[in-house]
Amino acid sequence: MELTKELFTRLDPTAGVIEGKSVSARRLSDLKGLFADEAAFDQALQEGDPVIYETSGVESASGEGDLHYAAGKILPGKIGREYFMTKGHYHAWKPAAEVYIGFQGRGVMLLESEDGRQVELVPLEANSIVYVPGNTAHRTINIGDEPLTYIGIYPARAGHDYGSIAVKNFAHVVVEVDGEPRLMKREDFLKEIAINKEL
Ligand code: F6R
Ligand code: ZN
């Protein structure tokens, strides 16, 4: 047993932070190119550069078999009709799976296979647990009107691959339709935006 490792931390489930750990904030400008509605993105950026989400992690153990975990808080809001969300990523070590546990708020996890053909939208809310299989792009989305807080637990060697998402993004979006979240193909949503622009 390696008792030198960090064995205990405390989570603030409302703030969505692990106490004593540094918090890193992702602002709207950090998510450039990820929201479908570019005009809405530019307008929101002009009005300020709001924090979209924050994370704080415990990533000190890095031996074979070790785990990392991180807390997240996604603020409520939308860019156009698309809800505030994380950048999303694959794991750099592709087969690495992850477990998410929700603490507060109403969220969903968008899970996609690498070719974008398989897609799942899984609820993430208080007391729910989501299993993210390996080789799966995952993005967390706040569809509610209060902060969404959660933790994710993953192999220490998982790492993050944001590059693939920056290049081709997710093939689907989660957008508000008649006050409710709806999963749509990105290309269909982009067509809707273009049509509305012409009107
Ligand atoms: C780690 C993980 C989460 C996310 C966090 C922020 O593998 O999935 O801790 O890192 O939800 O999302 P990203 O990393 O996509 O900015
Ligand atoms: Zn992950």
Side-chain angles (χ1 to χ4, degrees):
M1 188 158 62
E2 293 177 81
L3 291 174
T4 51
K5 294 193 175 169
E6 190 166 13
L7 301 180
F8 179 83
T9 58
R10 207 180 276 280
L11 172 85
D12 179 334
T14 303
V17 294
I18 294 166
E19 290 175 5
K21 298 292 167 188
S22 61
V23 175
S24 85
R26 299 278 192 208
R27 291 182 174 274
L28 185 60
S29 53
D30 297 315
L31 279 80
K32 188 167 173 50
L34 297 181
F35 287 101
D37 189 336
E38 288 177 11
F41 175 89
D42 290 343
Q43 195 184 328
L45 203 56
Q46 267 179 19
E47 289 165 9
D49 189 7
V51 171
I52 306 292
Y53 62 101
E54 294 177 340
T55 58
S56 55
V58 178
E59 301 198 318
S60 46
S62 55
E64 200 187 354
D66 273 321
L67 296 173
H68 285 174
Y69 59 96
K73 173 172 79 172
I74 307 176
L75 293 153
K78 283 182 300 220
I79 299 300
R81 286 162 49 199
E82 195 172 10
Y83 298 93
F84 280 12
M85 62 189 190
T86 60
K87 287 182 165 193
H89 58 271
Y90 293 94
H91 292 140
W93 179 43
K94 294 239 159 152
E98 179 164 3
V99 170
Y100 275 70
I101 304 170
F103 292 98
Q104 178 196 281
R106 250 181 91 216
V108 287
M109 292 200 67
L110 176 60
L111 307 180
E112 276 187 8
S113 59
E114 289 189 66
D115 61 7
R117 288 191 194 172
Q118 285 170 273
V119 60
E120 293 284 346
L121 199 60
V122 186
L124 179 69
E125 44 204 27
N127 308 322
S128 68
I129 301 167
V130 178
Y131 185 81
V132 178
N135 301 295
T136 302
H138 45 292
R139 170 173 278 166
T140 312
I141 303 167
N142 185 350
I143 56 167
D145 47 21
E146 63 175 327
L148 172 71
T149 67
Y150 59 91
I151 62 167
I153 306 166
Y154 42 98
R157 63 178 279 212
H160 295 88
D161 167 13
Y162 294 109
S164 311
I165 302 299
V167 171
K168 65 182 177 78
N169 213 335
F170 283 64
H172 298 80
V173 292
V174 178
V175 295
E176 188 183 72
V177 179
D178 298 330
E180 290 300 318
R182 183 179 298 173
L183 179 70
M184 286 182 77
K185 282 191 176 157
R186 176 176 303 278
E187 58 189 42
D188 293 343
F189 184 55
L190 288 171
K191 277 182 208 154
E192 267 192 32
I193 293 173
I195 290 167
N196 286 336
K197 222 175 171 181
E198 282 167 21
L199 294 176

